[in-house]
Amino acid sequence: MNDMEEIPKTVPRLGLRHLQAGLLFYGLAANTVLQLNVSVAVVAMTNETTSNNSDPPHYNWSEEKKSYILSSYYWGCALAQFPAGYLCKRFGSKAVLFWGTLGSSLLSALTTYGVYAGGWKAYCAIRLLQGLCQVTWPCIHQHLANWCPTAERTRLGAFAYTGFDCGNVLAMYGAGMIASSSLGWPGISYSAAGLGLIWCGLWLLLGANKASDARFIGEAEKAYIVGDIQRSERKGPKKMEIPWKGIFTSVPVYALLCARCADSWGLTTMQTELPTYLSGVLKLDMKSNAVFSALPFLLMWVMCYVYLIIADVLLRKKWMSLTTLRKTYTSIALWAPASIMLSLVIVGEGQKTLVLVLVTLSVGVSSAATIGSELNTIDLSPNHAGILAGLMSSFTNLMALLTPLVVGVLVTDPSQRSQ
């Protein structure tokens, strides 16, 4: 597939397709904050020194209970992904993504009251329900497939996906700073809810399932997008029913599934456990914890643009095919973090700075997965990108569900470096 075809001169260089990518960026960032701020919140809720406000109560939850809280989101999320892909195909990404984000935001606003009333079990129940509302990944794939012309697919898709990296930074840094302020840990849930609700309003006003449905698009841009998609569809099979047999017997689909599961295992471990590690092993206070929990994901965000620029050059000059590019970036995203994390084993106990550097690098280089494997579903089948994304997300969320539970078994004392 040629990802660098010429864009007609009559088409605006900045148009509604870019606005859709921007809305996806914001939506993914908001949903990532709703998903990941729990890793900081749990630290704040169980450590009385994390807040300047004495009003919110703190809890003496065991590591096992914390692992249930951290993983419960993914119980619901794993169940939601495959149906979400079908719903996007059936009703369009605009409605499905709107209702999912709205539900998650409202549940976030109710979190504090739920914890006050029912403790950690209520927290798990709320997180599970939020996971059921997480329909972001299938919807984004389907929306990008409907809006991104072939010549701009990698560029617009990668930009939209960096909302995930932005959300990581906001979840770690923002949640830590809020927890250490007068708002205390309840402020984490309220701020995340506000971020999601604002996006819902913008999405309702400006989002559109397809270019042909958009109210504010110019004729030249509409003709460019619709024409490109129609040409892509003519190259594919005429029958548009979901090819279930083809999906489940496809070797590239299974290769992609392995890559996505491996990436999910490593990244989720860092997302859910890094604040606890920095607090328990490295003894960082809440504000320092917020900074150094966010720093790896800030580097990840920056590196995503570096990888994108390099990919753009490689494709434009035809030094590398799109398939080779995907495979190369996926290899970097998996092998580099694994090698760096293994090196932590030989780092001395007193070398705190080196530990922080290695942890930051391990997360930062993994952002190659955005271009390497996350966008590959659109390459494999633009017409069924939402279905494929839902299938992939179902399995990656199983990985995300298991990682906190495994840590809960291995780590009984979060202050023990050996554990």
Side-chain angles (χ1 to χ4, degrees):
M1 183 180 294
N2 180 13
D3 198 46
M4 294 305 299
E5 297 174 2
E6 289 296 323
I7 303 172
K9 293 182 179 180
T10 55
V11 176
R13 294 290 164 172
L14 193 63
L16 199 64
R17 63 195 186 281
H18 298 93
L19 177 60
Q20 298 303 307
L23 287 169
L24 291 179
F25 173 95
Y26 179 11
L28 185 52
N31 277 281
T32 303
V33 170
L34 289 163
Q35 173 184 344
L36 296 179
N37 59 19
V38 65
S39 59
V40 177
V42 164
V43 174
M45 294 166 78
T46 55
N47 185 350
E48 293 189 24
T49 65
T50 58
S51 176
N52 294 323
N53 186 358
S54 59
D55 292 334
H58 291 80
Y59 303 91
N60 187 27
W61 292 331
S62 66
E63 293 306 306
E64 184 181 15
K65 291 177 181 177
K66 292 179 189 177
S67 72
Y68 290 146
I69 294 169
L70 292 172
S71 69
S72 56
Y73 181 92
Y74 301 100
W75 305 349
C77 202
L79 294 173
Q81 297 310 295
F82 198 63
Y86 172 78
L87 290 172
C88 283
K89 186 79 174 174
R90 177 72 175 80
F91 299 106
S93 54
K94 180 176 180 177
V96 177
L97 192 51
F98 170 78
W99 287 111
T101 305
L102 180 64
S104 186
S105 300
L106 294 176
L107 285 165
S108 181
L110 296 172
T111 296
T112 301
Y113 303 102
V115 174
Y116 285 166
W120 72 273
K121 291 182 180 179
Y123 203 179
C124 285
I126 290 172
R127 294 293 296 170
L128 188 151
L129 291 173
Q130 281 188 290
L132 288 171
C133 293
Q134 176 57 279
V135 296
T136 312
W137 297 108
C139 288
I140 283 182
H141 280 74
Q142 192 63 55
H143 205 69
L144 287 172
N146 290 340
W147 274 93
C148 292
T150 305
E152 300 176 283
R153 182 171 295 161
T154 294
R155 191 180 304 117
L156 290 177
F159 169 70
Y161 267 95
T162 57
F164 173 72
D165 304 305
C166 176
N168 273 298
V169 174
L170 291 175
M172 298 298 179
Y173 181 76
M177 289 301 172
I178 290 169
S180 60
S181 72
S182 59
L183 295 173
W185 61 260
I188 296 175
S189 298
Y190 296 140
S191 59
L195 192 66
L197 291 172
I198 291 171
W199 178 86
C200 286
L202 293 173
W203 182 246
L204 202 58
L205 179 66
L206 300 172
N209 286 321
K210 299 178 181 179
S212 55
D213 299 336
R215 289 178 292 172
F216 307 113
I217 192 170
E219 289 301 319
E221 185 180 17
K222 182 192 291 187
Y224 167 52
I225 296 170
V226 172
D228 184 89
I229 292 173
Q230 288 175 345
R231 284 191 294 273
S232 297
E233 289 176 348
R234 281 197 294 268
K235 294 176 184 177
K238 300 299 180 183
K239 193 176 180 180
M240 295 305 295
E241 285 83 359
I242 300 171
W244 296 113
K245 182 179 179 181
I247 290 173
F248 288 109
T249 57
S250 170
V251 174
V253 167
Y254 284 106
L256 177 59
L257 181 61
C258 290
R260 295 303 310 132
C261 286
D263 180 62
S264 178
W265 183 279
L267 185 59
T268 305
T269 300
M270 300 301 289
Q271 289 170 331
T272 57
E273 304 299 337
L274 184 57
T276 301
Y277 174 78
L278 297 180
S279 174
V281 175
L282 299 187
K283 309 298 182 186
L284 299 184
D285 60 47
M286 198 66 224
K287 287 188 177 180
S288 298
N289 194 321
V291 172
F292 289 107
S293 291
L295 193 58
F297 299 101
L298 179 61
L299 178 62
M300 188 179 184
W301 189 7
V302 173
M303 283 301 297
C304 195
Y305 291 112
V306 173
Y307 286 131
L308 177 58
I309 292 169
I310 295 172
D312 215 32
V313 172
L314 291 173
L315 290 172
R316 188 171 63 250
K317 294 185 177 293
K318 299 182 179 179
W319 290 343
M320 191 177 285
S321 69
L322 182 60
T323 299
T324 305
L325 179 79
R326 300 277 196 233
K327 291 180 178 180
T328 302
Y329 271 40
T330 298
S331 299
I332 293 171
L334 297 177
W335 282 101
S339 303
I340 294 170
M341 291 302 290
L342 283 173
S343 68
L344 279 175
V345 177
I346 61 174
V347 174
E349 191 168 348
Q351 296 177 288
K352 183 185 294 187
T353 301
L354 181 56
V355 169
L356 291 171
V357 169
L358 290 174
V359 168
T360 300
L361 285 175
S362 72
V363 176
V365 296
S366 71
S367 64
T370 299
I371 295 173
S373 59
E374 287 180 4
L375 292 171
N376 191 221
T377 55
I378 303 176
D379 302 331
L380 294 178
S381 179
N383 294 319
H384 305 291
I387 295 291
L388 280 178
L391 178 64
M392 296 296 156
S393 293
S394 295
F395 284 94
T396 58
N397 276 286
L398 287 176
M399 299 297 105
L401 184 159
L402 289 172
T403 49
L405 298 178
V406 171
V407 173
V409 172
L410 297 175
V411 180
T412 55
D413 182 354
S415 65
Q416 290 297 315
R417 182 175 183 267
S418 60
Q419 293 185 16

